[in-house]
Amino acid sequence: MVNRPGRGASATAASPVRRAAQAAGVLFLLIGVLGFIPGITTDYGTMKFAGHHSEAKLLGLFQVSILHNLVHLAYGVAGLALARTVSGARTFLLAGGAIYLVLWLYGVVVDHDSGANFVPLNTADDWLHLFLGVGMIALGLALTRRPGGARR
């Protein structure tokens, strides 16, 4: 039997979980870049490296800092790198979603004006992190379910 290039790869390349991880990676890269663009990020001149004193807001809503933007860029790179395989894509969505849920919990527990709010986070960020965490985990689970409950 001759193994033709691309035969198995096309099925894997078309994997919904890989496409979801790639889309998430591209979205995180886009958000990271947009966080550095004045106008799209309001009060850009107040942006700090980290900490709650950064008043810069992506789209005038989500409080950001240089660190916050760099984290989004790193998430994007990780998403694209891990999306090369089905297991990597699933891991990115599940682990990344779990990290976002921890970040949501952190944002809910830590006072937004506290020095412990080093990322920085505001209420809009908290709600977005909850949505992202639940959404990423749901995608990771739903897109890798096997019919009949069979596991790999």
Side-chain angles (χ1 to χ4, degrees), residues 17-149:
V17 72
R18 289 187 61 215
R19 283 192 304 241
Q22 288 168 341
V26 167
L27 181 64
F28 284 119
L29 283 173
L30 179 64
I31 290 168
V33 169
L34 291 176
F36 287 114
I37 299 176
I40 294 174
T41 298
T42 60
D43 297 320
Y44 186 82
T46 67
M47 186 181 298
K48 306 288 183 210
F49 178 77
H52 68 282
H53 296 298
S54 181
E55 292 299 321
K57 291 186 176 139
L58 179 61
L59 303 175
L61 189 60
F62 303 103
Q63 192 173 6
V64 294
S65 65
I66 294 169
L67 177 62
H68 204 150
N69 293 332
L70 292 174
V71 168
H72 286 137
L73 292 170
Y75 243 77
V77 170
L80 292 176
L82 289 169
R84 293 183 301 166
T85 65
V86 169
S87 64
R90 183 175 198 269
T91 297
F92 171 71
L93 292 171
L94 295 178
I99 290 168
Y100 266 105
L101 289 179
V102 168
L103 195 54
W104 164 74
L105 187 59
Y106 180 81
V108 169
V109 171
V110 172
D111 181 17
H112 291 159
D113 292 323
S114 162
N117 185 14
F118 65 93
V119 175
L121 304 170
N122 63 9
T123 302
D125 288 307
D126 294 340
W127 283 105
L128 180 62
H129 293 154
L130 175 61
F131 172 76
L132 285 171
V134 170
M136 288 175 74
I137 290 171
L139 283 171
L141 293 174
L143 297 177
T144 55
R145 284 177 61 174
R146 292 194 127 352

